[in-house]
Amino acid sequence: MAEPREPHAPDLVAPGTLVTDRLFLRPPRESDVDAIFEACQDEEIRRWTVVPSPYHRKDAEYFVNDLAVNGRRTGDALLWCVVERDTGALVGTQALVRAPGRPGTAEIGWWATKEHRGRGFTVEAARAVARHGLTELGLRRLEWVAYVGNEGSRAVAEKVGFRFEGTLRSYAEQRGEFRDSWVAGLLATDLDG
């Protein structure tokens, strides 16, 4: 693995950080609030995720200071900010959330900033998170769930190696409405290399 590059590397390689060729995936911190707030003004992020709509600065503060901190503390959720190694720019987020009542299973999720879509960053980050979950954390199964029609997320899941398992009718809730959802699974035996 290549050594982290200056000037952004020293404070990024902290406990809980994953490193890829082009990215650092690190726990969210207070200095990310503004970038997360700006990214979540994008209609596409709000359309395909459960982030609040409209999205306020206090929502970004809650993500960083509550969801990320408490999820890591309890082990129920691991959240990462994905940043470019060369520039330190926020590329998106990644998450692993344990599935209640299904031991060894977690759901993976992500969003990408508008400026960084289509450059392979989300695939690179999701591969790192999947490998981390299935090898280092010892999870048995990862699940990807997305609202029907989210072709961008589905393309990422397929490139990571998730196997499409079906469409679940009226499955996932988004702001009080239940939506049909696609589901795919990934096992350690599905990982490449």
Side-chain angles (χ1 to χ4, degrees):
M1 189 175 321
E3 287 296 313
R5 300 176 201 138
E6 297 290 342
H8 303 284
D11 62 336
L12 293 179
V13 183
T17 298
L18 305 177
V19 181
T20 71
D21 289 342
R22 301 181 295 165
L23 305 168
F24 289 112
L25 289 75
R26 58 164 174 70
R29 55 188 183 202
E30 189 66 32
S31 61
D32 296 317
V33 168
D34 289 337
I36 292 168
F37 168 71
E38 288 301 320
C40 289
Q41 299 311 303
D42 178 16
E43 180 61 35
E44 286 300 295
I45 290 176
R46 292 193 313 270
R47 178 181 181 193
W48 298 116
T49 71
V50 295
V51 302
S53 182
Y55 195 87
H56 301 287
R57 190 172 197 286
K58 67 180 173 63
D59 298 315
E61 292 169 347
Y62 176 75
F63 177 82
V64 169
N65 298 316
D66 192 323
L67 286 178
V69 171
N70 289 327
R72 199 165 286 275
R73 181 182 53 75
T74 63
D76 291 335
L78 296 176
L79 307 176
W80 290 272
C81 279
V82 181
V83 296
E84 278 189 279
R85 287 177 63 168
D86 287 340
T87 66
L90 179 72
V91 169
T93 63
Q94 292 275 326
L96 276 181
V97 179
R98 290 199 186 268
R102 293 182 309 189
T105 301
E107 185 176 327
I108 190 172
W110 49 73
W111 57 253
T113 63
K114 185 180 351 184
E115 307 76 41
H116 293 93
R117 291 183 196 136
R119 296 170 55 190
F121 289 131
T122 305
V123 172
E124 186 175 327
R127 281 187 179 134
V129 170
R131 186 167 305 283
H132 179 71
L134 292 170
T135 59
E136 295 178 42
L137 300 180
L139 293 171
R140 174 182 55 80
R141 173 184 167 82
L142 293 183
E143 291 179 346
W144 163 85
V145 177
Y147 304 127
V148 169
N150 190 344
E151 297 291 345
S153 187
R154 183 172 177 159
V156 169
E158 289 172 346
K159 288 176 184 172
V160 172
F162 280 83
R163 295 188 186 180
F164 186 75
E165 295 174 339
T167 301
L168 304 172
R169 297 178 304 146
S170 189
Y171 180 74
E173 183 181 9
Q174 183 190 46
R175 297 178 209 100
E177 178 186 340
F178 284 91
R179 296 180 60 180
D180 293 352
S181 301
W182 290 324
V183 65
L186 184 74
L187 308 178
T189 54
D190 299 327
L191 293 173
D192 58 357

